[in-house]
Amino acid sequence: MKNITVIGAGTMGNGIAHVFAQKDFNVHLVDISQDALDKAVATIGKNLDRMVAKERITEDDKKSTLANITTFTSIDDAITEADLIVEAATENVDLKMKIFRELDEKAPEKAILATNTSSISITQIAAQTKRADKVIGMHFMNPVPIMKLVEVIRGYNTSDEVTNRIMEMSKNLGKVPVEVNDYPGFVANRILMPMINEAIYCLYEDVAGVEEIDTVMKLGMAHPMGPLQLADFIGLDVCLSILNVLYDGFKNPKYAPCPLLVNMVMAGKKGVKSGEGFYDYSESKKAEKIAAQFAK
């Protein structure tokens, strides 16, 4: 597999495009917004500049990585030769279903269809296609160029051959793939999100303040980032969406999102990307410093 299409030029999409392009895959990056595509390529360039500065790659490596990426605003043009398509659109069930129906209709028969969903059922997504055996989850972690883990999620009908190929490809990217089965939240978010939710409850019930809660988890549990700061980094709207998937999937009240989280998202306080969450990111460089701290 050499030709990779990545759908969605947001934080996860540009990171996924980056790691494939850096390993000399031919990458087609797709988004409906040309501005989003331009921003994504600029972000990849900045991330590569940091790697050059740290002497992890050379200037020639940077140039060849960027040369491996071509941008498109049309799915039709981007998937004609695709061996693997990785969907990294917004974590919205209806949107993902629509994309996979379109991919099934237009993508080459040989193409494996992967989704970077962090919580939505692979089996449910695969049911939108006539190639359920070729649909799989590739859940990369953020920031993609730094984090080693890829959760490889098998849907009910995903074939052994496809699973093995994706596991091997993930290793070729320099990642550590872990095969998991298709249950709400998989492993990473099934464990992480209840912890974040409980931290929000601690704040909601006035057990302690934001910095105090994060300090306890950083110093007491050796976490590199406190759960409230991490929630801001992930996006509070994303956290809410994942918790709703867990709650709907298991019907267990322990997954019900804290009312404080719901209210914050409704008020537009979504974390780093909106400039305010549990912390204030209104200063222009503050969000970048938080991201850089996590990436070290």
Side-chain angles (χ1 to χ4, degrees), residues 60-251:
D60 285 344
D61 291 332
K62 173 193 168 181
K63 291 177 181 177
S64 64
T65 297
L66 291 173
N68 286 333
I69 301 172
T70 308
T71 62
F72 296 83
T73 54
S74 167
I75 285 180
D76 296 33
D77 298 332
I79 63 175
T80 54
E81 300 296 328
D83 299 307
L84 169 67
I85 302 171
V86 183
E87 172 273 317
T90 304
E91 192 75 350
N92 177 284
V93 175
D94 293 336
L95 176 60
K96 290 185 186 294
M97 301 303 174
K98 179 182 177 182
I99 290 172
F100 271 79
R101 285 193 293 269
E102 184 175 0
L103 292 177
D104 187 48
E105 178 185 341
K106 298 177 179 178
E109 185 177 346
K110 65 177 181 177
I112 294 173
L113 308 183
T115 173
N116 183 58
T117 182
S118 57
S119 59
I120 299 169
S121 168
I122 308 303
T123 303
Q124 184 182 9
I125 291 172
Q128 307 303 307
T129 77
K130 297 181 179 67
R131 59 177 95 187
D133 60 317
K134 292 187 175 73
V135 178
I136 196 165
M138 289 185 78
H139 180 207
F140 291 85
M141 303 294 124
N142 187 26
V144 180
I146 303 297
M147 302 294 279
K148 290 291 187 182
L149 176 66
V150 178
E151 272 189 307
V152 177
I153 307 106
R154 296 184 64 136
Y156 189 82
N157 291 306
T158 306
S159 71
D160 290 340
E161 178 188 357
V162 166
T163 302
N164 292 337
R165 291 177 74 185
I166 294 301
M167 291 287 286
E168 190 62 30
M169 172 174 273
S170 299
K171 292 175 185 176
N172 291 339
L173 292 175
K175 303 300 185 185
V176 178
V178 176
E179 182 182 336
V180 303
N181 290 317
D182 186 23
Y183 291 95
F186 318 131
V187 172
N189 280 318
R190 184 171 176 176
I191 294 171
L192 174 64
M193 287 302 155
M195 182 193 74
I196 286 176
N197 200 41
E198 196 62 31
I200 298 171
Y201 264 111
C202 285
L203 180 65
Y204 178 62
E205 295 172 357
D206 200 26
V207 176
V210 171
E211 293 188 9
E212 288 78 10
I213 292 167
D214 278 353
T215 298
V216 167
M217 297 305 292
K218 286 190 287 187
L219 300 185
M221 312 305 165
H223 290 191
M225 182 180 286
L228 299 178
Q229 188 180 22
L230 179 57
D232 276 353
F233 187 72
I234 294 169
L236 302 191
D237 54 334
V238 176
C239 293
L240 178 59
S241 175
I242 295 169
L243 283 164
N244 281 330
V245 168
L246 289 167
Y247 184 58
D248 290 342
F250 290 114
K251 309 300 182 188

